[in-house]
Amino acid sequence: MLSALLLTVLPSTAFADSGHNTYQYLVGVDPLCSLAPSACPDIVGAPNGDTVAVAGQGTFDIRSMVATGSGTFVHRMSDGTVRASGTWEATRLLGFHSFGSGSVQGLPSNFVGGLALIQVTLKVHDQPVFNAVLKIGCELGNPPGGIHEGVELTVLGAGINFNEKVSGFTLFILQ
């Protein structure tokens, strides 16, 4: 199932760009929060109307496929009732494709657009409950059509896929 997910969300040309590059990733956290009222946290919806709010940060290395980082999540049902809340922890990088430097948009050259897939563990009350794939998209550089700023969260074994963007900003920073 995971390999099928990778094939559907990453360009078929590469699962990781070449080079020994380390990136920092920001998902709905400062300094992004000052950019717009809807920048933080990142919110994404599911087809049944549920939403999940995600915030956090970390790093990944595209050569070793190592990812670190953590953050928070809040899963709300379609009526707004909190179904679950807790933390997430990055366990490994599944893939990354760079869209190039944000200098195209007049930003610092180490601000990079791209698409990352990071395997995470979701925890409630500090107890692991599900593994998931956190898809982070940043529209800087020259992204292909169909790429959206924000996140998606596929919760493995739970039968729910949060894949409908609501709001939020993300950023990759080349270290």
Side-chain angles (χ1 to χ4, degrees):
M1 172 157 166
L2 187 55
S3 60
L5 176 67
L6 288 172
L7 291 174
T8 61
V9 296
L10 280 181
S12 61
T13 55
F15 282 117
D17 292 333
S18 61
H20 189 72
N21 294 323
T22 300
Y23 293 83
Q24 178 184 17
Y25 61 91
L26 304 175
V27 174
V29 295
D30 282 327
L32 301 174
C33 301
S34 63
L35 299 176
S38 62
C40 299
D42 276 67
I43 300 174
V44 62
N48 68 355
D50 286 11
T51 61
V52 67
V54 179
Q57 62 185 334
T59 62
F60 60 81
D61 182 274
I62 63 174
R63 176 69 52 110
S64 65
M65 303 299 280
V66 169
T68 64
S70 61
T72 59
F73 74 92
V74 177
H75 175 183
R76 293 184 183 275
M77 296 188 304
S78 60
D79 67 2
T81 304
V82 174
R83 179 164 184 175
S85 64
T87 61
W88 59 266
E89 183 177 329
T91 57
R92 69 181 171 131
L93 177 67
L94 300 173
F96 177 73
H97 181 77
S98 173
F99 303 148
S101 171
S103 61
V104 173
Q105 287 86 8
L107 297 169
S109 62
N110 66 327
F111 287 16
V112 177
L115 183 66
L117 292 177
I118 300 174
Q119 185 170 336
V120 299
T121 299
L122 303 177
K123 298 179 180 181
V124 175
H125 303 296
D126 208 30
Q127 296 298 313
V129 292
F130 285 107
N131 288 320
V133 175
L134 180 63
K135 176 181 171 184
I136 306 169
C138 178
E139 293 179 327
L140 295 181
N142 295 300
I147 298 298
H148 301 287
E149 181 81 16
V151 300
E152 293 182 16
L153 187 68
T154 301
V155 183
L156 305 175
I160 192 160
N161 184 8
F162 297 94
N163 60 3
E164 299 171 2
K165 178 178 172 43
V166 176
S167 63
F169 289 164
T170 62
L171 178 63
F172 299 111
I173 303 171
L174 182 61
Q175 301 296 287

